């Protein structure tokens, strides 16, 4: 059973930066798709960024140029560097995994089998 665990959320002012981390335990196979989703209060969950087995990355339009997804030296570690944050980025951020499959540029929430508990990001004006 794969279990992602996020950390690094917090409160920051507009224009600030945060780096989220995710450690996904339970892997027995290195090939997997990992991604970040978020959900703001009263809104649907939405895909933010994904990184594929080969390192290929895809971003939602609303974070392009501001957020960077990357993997750590250990393949089960995932990061999301968030810069130029705005109040619209306020949400619970989730680390998600599709094990043993490529991402295929998919941002449907139900494509991802494993979800962490989330880490709250709050951006104040």
């Amino acid at each position: 059973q794969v279990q992602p665990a996020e950390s690094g959320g917090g409160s920051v002012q507009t224009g600030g930066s945060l780096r989220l981390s995710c450690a996904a335990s339970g892997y027995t196979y290195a090939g997997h798709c990992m991604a970040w989703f978020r959900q703001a209060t009263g809104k649907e969950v939405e895909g933010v960024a994904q990184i594929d087995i080969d390192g290929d990355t895809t971003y939602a339009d609303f974070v392009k140029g501001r957020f960077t997804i990357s993997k750590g030296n250990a393949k089960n570690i995932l990061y999301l560097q968030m810069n130029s944050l705005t109040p619209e980025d306020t949400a619970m951020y989730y680390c998600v995994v599709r094990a043993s499959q490529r991402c295929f540029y998919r941002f449907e929430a139900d494509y991802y089998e494993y979800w962490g508990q989330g880490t709250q990001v709050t951006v104040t004006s």
Side-chain angles (χ1 to χ4, degrees):
Q1 182 77 9
V2 177
Q3 183 57 56
E6 306 92 340
S7 61
S11 183
V12 64
Q13 290 187 329
T14 296
S17 299
L18 283 173
R19 188 175 83 155
L20 305 183
S21 300
C22 172
S25 61
Y27 276 112
T28 58
Y29 177 64
H32 49 269
C33 162
M34 299 184 77
W36 290 96
F37 277 66
R38 70 185 188 184
Q39 187 171 29
T41 302
K43 296 188 177 181
E44 294 187 354
V45 67
E46 58 185 0
V48 175
Q50 62 182 226
I51 185 164
D52 218 327
I53 295 171
D54 60 359
D56 187 27
T57 58
T58 303
Y59 295 91
D61 287 342
F62 53 80
V63 302
K64 282 182 180 178
R66 300 189 299 125
F67 290 12
T68 302
I69 189 171
S70 62
K71 287 184 179 178
N73 290 332
K75 293 188 182 297
N76 63 333
I77 302 297
L78 183 69
Y79 299 109
L80 184 68
Q81 177 66 43
M82 305 185 295
N83 299 327
S84 302
L85 287 162
T86 73
E88 289 69 36
D89 296 313
T90 295
M92 185 73 78
Y93 283 72
Y94 297 94
C95 173
V96 302
V97 176
R98 175 68 188 233
S100 305
Q101 291 286 343
R102 297 183 63 88
C103 296
F104 296 116
Y105 309 108
R106 297 183 66 170
F107 273 130
E108 299 93 341
D110 59 6
Y111 181 72
Y112 295 87
E113 306 154 293
Y114 303 105
W115 291 66
Q117 294 297 309
T119 186
Q120 178 67 37
V121 171
T122 301
V123 185
T124 59
S125 58

